[in-house]
Amino acid sequence: MLQTMIMTIVAIPLVLGMAAALGRSRLPAPAFALLLPLFAAVVSIGIEGMPAFPPVRAAHKFPYVLAAGGFVFALVAWRMRVVAPALAAIGAAIAIGLPAWWMGANILAGNSVKATTVAILAVLAIVGAFVAAARKAETPDGAHLLPQAIFATSLASALVAITGGYMGMAMFNGGLAALAGGYLLVSYVSHIRGNAQALALGGVGAFAFAWVAFMGLVATALLAPKASMAGLIAVGLTLPAAPLAAIVANRLTHFPAALRPLINGLIAAVPALAGILIAGLQFAG
C-alpha cells in the first residue's frame, strides 16, 4: 500500500514533471501546453482510478476537465503566440467558472461558504491572468518565480485539503506538487549549469501550468468538506501575487546565482505559507 502511494503520488508525477521540463525547449508551444494538463490528468487517474463515463461524481469529472483543458490550451497556443490581457481575463473566468459549475453545481447551490470561496478564487484567477498577460516586458527574475509559485500553490493546497478532511484532493495536490518539483529539479540543474533562462516560463504553457495548480485549489474548495475558506483564499493569492513577489526578488540580486531560485521561491511562497498556517490554526481550534 505504501509503495503504491509513493509511486502514484511522488515517483510518477516527479518523472512526468522532469519530462515536461526536458520537453519545454524541444516541443512546439501547443504540445507543451497540452502536455501539462494531460500529465495532471494522469496523476488524478493514478490516484483515483479510471473515472466512470459518463462521469457522475465531481471526482469522476475532474480528470476530464484537466484533459479537456489541455486541448483548449493547445488550440490557443496554436492560434496565438501572445494573449491580450482582456482575453486572458475572459479566458480565466471561463476556465475556472465552467469546470467549477460542472463539477459542483449542487455543492455551490447548497453551500454559500463554498460558493463564496470559489467566487473569490475565480476573481483572483481573473486578476492574475490579466496582470500576467499585461506584463509584456517581464524581467528574467520575474519569470523565474512562476514555477516556484505553482509548486507552492499545489503543496499548500494538499496540506489545506488534509485539514479539510478530503485525502483524495490532498493526494492529488501532493502529486501536482511532485510534478512541479520534478519540473523545478531539471530546470534548477540547468540553471546552475549556466542557463539563465532555465526557470523562465512564459506563453500559453505558463497559463496551462498555472491553471492546473489553480484547478487543484478550486477542486479542494469544492470537495473538501471542512476546508478553511480563509486558508484557501490565502493560498489562491500565491499565483496572482507572483508579479509583486518578483519586484521584491529583483532587489535581491546580491545573492549567488545558485541561491536566487531558492530565495525567489521562498518569497513567492509567502501567501501559500500563510494559507497553511491559517488552515492549521483553524483545524487545531
Side-chain angles (χ1 to χ4, degrees):
M1 178 67 177
L2 180 61
Q3 290 181 338
T4 302
M5 290 180 65
I6 292 173
M7 283 293 293
T8 56
I9 301 172
V10 180
I12 293 175
L14 187 72
V15 171
L16 292 176
M18 294 171 68
L22 291 171
R24 181 175 67 90
S25 60
R26 297 172 175 83
L27 293 172
F32 182 69
L34 170 66
L35 202 63
L36 295 166
L38 282 187
F39 280 173
V42 169
V43 172
S44 177
I45 291 170
I47 293 169
E48 296 282 354
M50 200 66 189
F53 185 82
V56 178
R57 296 192 299 114
H60 291 162
K61 296 175 181 178
F62 195 41
Y64 292 108
V65 166
L66 295 170
F71 285 102
V72 171
F73 279 111
L75 181 61
V76 173
W78 174 57
R79 298 294 298 174
M80 303 178 188
R81 296 190 64 182
V82 177
V83 181
L87 185 59
I90 294 169
I94 296 171
I96 298 299
L98 189 60
W101 183 255
W102 185 51
M103 287 193 300
N106 293 333
I107 298 172
L108 295 173
N111 190 318
S112 60
V113 173
K114 287 186 177 294
T116 302
T117 304
V118 171
I120 293 173
L121 291 176
V123 171
L124 291 177
I126 292 166
V127 172
F130 182 90
V131 172
R135 298 184 74 220
K136 299 182 185 299
E138 188 173 37
T139 63
D141 283 327
H144 291 173
L145 284 174
L146 184 56
Q148 294 97 313
I150 291 169
F151 172 79
T153 298
S154 295
L155 184 59
S157 298
L159 296 175
V160 173
I162 291 173
T163 63
Y166 188 27
M167 288 304 298
M169 284 311 304
M171 290 189 291
F172 172 75
N173 286 314
L176 283 188
L179 192 153
Y183 183 95
L184 280 169
L185 178 62
V186 171
S187 301
Y188 180 71
V189 170
S190 179
H191 171 80
I192 61 177
R193 293 179 65 181
N195 182 0
Q197 295 298 310
L199 284 156
L201 184 62
V204 178
F207 284 104
F209 207 172
W211 174 77
V212 165
F214 214 87
M215 278 307 304
L217 181 64
V218 170
T220 301
L222 282 172
L223 302 178
K226 299 179 181 179
S228 165
M229 175 180 176
L232 289 167
I233 293 170
V235 175
L237 285 167
T238 307
L239 286 165
L244 180 61
I247 295 173
V248 178
N250 289 337
R251 300 178 182 274
L252 304 177
T253 56
H254 57 282
F255 287 99
L259 291 179
R260 282 181 207 158
L262 306 178
I263 295 167
N264 291 352
L266 288 174
I267 295 170
V270 168
L273 294 172
I276 295 169
L277 179 61
I278 292 168
L281 290 174
Q282 290 187 349
F283 178 75

